[in-house]
Amino acid sequence: MMTHTRPAPRPLVASLPVYSKAGGTVPPRWRASSNESFLPPSPAVLAAIEEAASHCQRYPSLQGDPLVAALSAQLGVAPEQLVTGAGSLAVLQQLLTAFTGPGTEVVFAWRSYEAYPILVRLAGALDVAVPLAPGHRHDLDAMAGAITESTAAVILCSPNNPTGTVLADAELDAILDRIPPHIVVVLDQAYLEFTDDTGASSARIVALLANHPNLVILRTFSKAYGLAGLRAGYLVTHPDVAAHVRAVSPPFGLNAVAEAAAVAALADDAALAANVATVVEGRTALATALADRGLTLPDSGANFLWLPVGDGSASLEMACLAEGVSVRCFAGEGVRVTVGSRDAEAAVLRAVDAWLAAGNDR
């Protein structure tokens, strides 16, 4: 007699961490949990989206060609140095597929972006998570010390998600000099536009890549450009590294609407500057208000703030939900709050006041 069983996944699937989501069962009035832009795309971007959508019966370009051309011109790099995809997360997965795998290790700071261990394990590699240093910053000495003969890649996240801390130029230069040239170094700059770091300049990118052919810079249109729902991102690196990533990337990986929106957003400097200015103003005001309430926060270079409240994280999340605003809780560690509308920030402050009044420790 035939025995019917369900299909079994690969053994590693059971080991994958679960990507967290905002708590609560009632939809919040405000979302401060996903680091999205609360500002809509500019009229120019919306027009590009509408035009592209009217032709959605057609395939997009094979490799995001119009966006590659626009990025090449803006960054001052060759088109062969660029790979686009459905968000920087998808591009990172393709990079890890190309350069890591069984028997290799990937070193990254922790806590950092929670997708890293998921993608590393999916690639078949071992994730090596190095605890953050005091101040919620990358412990670069410890990360360098964690490199072994099996290390295939090192991931640096700056600004770091969820702590918001930024690697200074001198720190980045120093760690790049310490990592052997056969190891891929991923510099995840999803939130760079919200910093005052000179790393945003094309001259800095060109110089870094010239000095470090093993460096891969990741960027996204999901945050400062406000296109999280369309999924567009890219990497820039040495042409040989980019070629290997393209070899494992699916064709038509960037949909036509996302491609058109990203090209238009890239050209709309005024909208980007206005969005960033609004976020930075809100970030400063919210950080000041939280500090006035006795909370100690690390300086953030991103569109969010990190509240390292430890065991009080879950109760603070619930207090925020009671005020109609979702935040991201990392149980036992802290709460990440996306800078949003001023009404959302006021709701967070009311929640913090209630949380403190209930006797919770700062």
Side-chain angles (χ1 to χ4, degrees), residues 149-184:
E149 292 183 355
S150 298
T151 304
V154 175
I155 304 176
L156 306 170
C157 187
S158 180
N160 186 47
N161 177 12
T163 64
T165 49
V166 178
L167 290 173
D169 286 352
E171 290 179 301
L172 179 59
D173 291 337
I175 189 64
L176 288 174
D177 286 340
R178 295 177 69 179
I179 297 175
H182 68 278
I183 295 174
V184 172

Side-chain angles (χ1 to χ4, degrees), residues 61-277:
S61 64
L62 188 64
Q63 296 175 337
D65 305 331
L67 181 56
V68 167
L71 288 167
S72 173
Q74 184 176 95
L75 300 176
V77 299
E80 294 76 21
Q81 293 180 260
L82 291 153
V83 180
T84 63
S88 57
L89 189 61
V91 180
L92 175 59
Q93 183 171 16
Q94 292 152 16
L95 175 72
L96 294 174
T97 299
F99 287 95
T100 72
T104 68
E105 298 174 348
V106 179
V107 175
F108 51 83
W110 196 255
R111 177 167 288 275
S112 192
Y113 185 31
E114 59 187 315
Y116 294 156
I118 298 173
L119 296 189
V120 169
R121 295 182 198 181
L122 280 175
L126 176 67
D127 49 303
V128 180
V130 178
L132 294 173
H136 311 281
R137 302 180 58 80
H138 282 48
D139 189 335
L140 298 177
D141 286 337
M143 292 182 73
I147 293 173
T148 70
E149 292 183 355
S150 298
T151 304
V154 175
I155 304 176
L156 306 170
C157 187
S158 180
N160 186 47
N161 177 12
T163 64
T165 49
V166 178
L167 290 173
D169 286 352
E171 290 179 301
L172 179 59
D173 291 337
I175 189 64
L176 288 174
D177 286 340
R178 295 177 69 179
I179 297 175
H182 68 278
I183 295 174
V184 172
V185 183
V186 181
L187 178 59
D188 187 346
Q189 295 183 320
Y191 300 93
L192 184 71
E193 290 85 358
F194 300 108
T195 76
D196 296 324
D197 196 329
T198 58
S201 72
S202 58
R204 171 69 168 161
I205 292 172
V206 170
L208 281 172
L209 295 176
N211 292 329
H212 305 282
N214 59 330
L215 176 63
V216 178
I217 297 174
L218 282 180
R219 299 274 181 85
T220 184
F221 288 90
S222 295
K223 309 304 179 182
Y225 289 98
L227 300 180
L230 292 180
R231 315 304 299 128
Y234 65 95
L235 64 74
V236 55
T237 186
H238 188 278
D240 291 346
V241 176
H244 294 311
V245 178
R246 279 192 292 273
V248 301
S249 301
F252 312 115
L254 182 63
N255 78 69
V257 176
E259 178 182 80
V263 170
L266 197 65
D268 200 340
D269 292 335
L272 175 64
N275 288 354
V276 169

Side-chain angles (χ1 to χ4, degrees), residues 293-313:
R293 286 161 168 79
L295 274 71
T296 301
L297 282 64
D299 291 337
S300 175
N303 68 338
F304 57 81
L305 293 173
W306 175 242
L307 283 59
V309 295
D311 291 338
S313 302

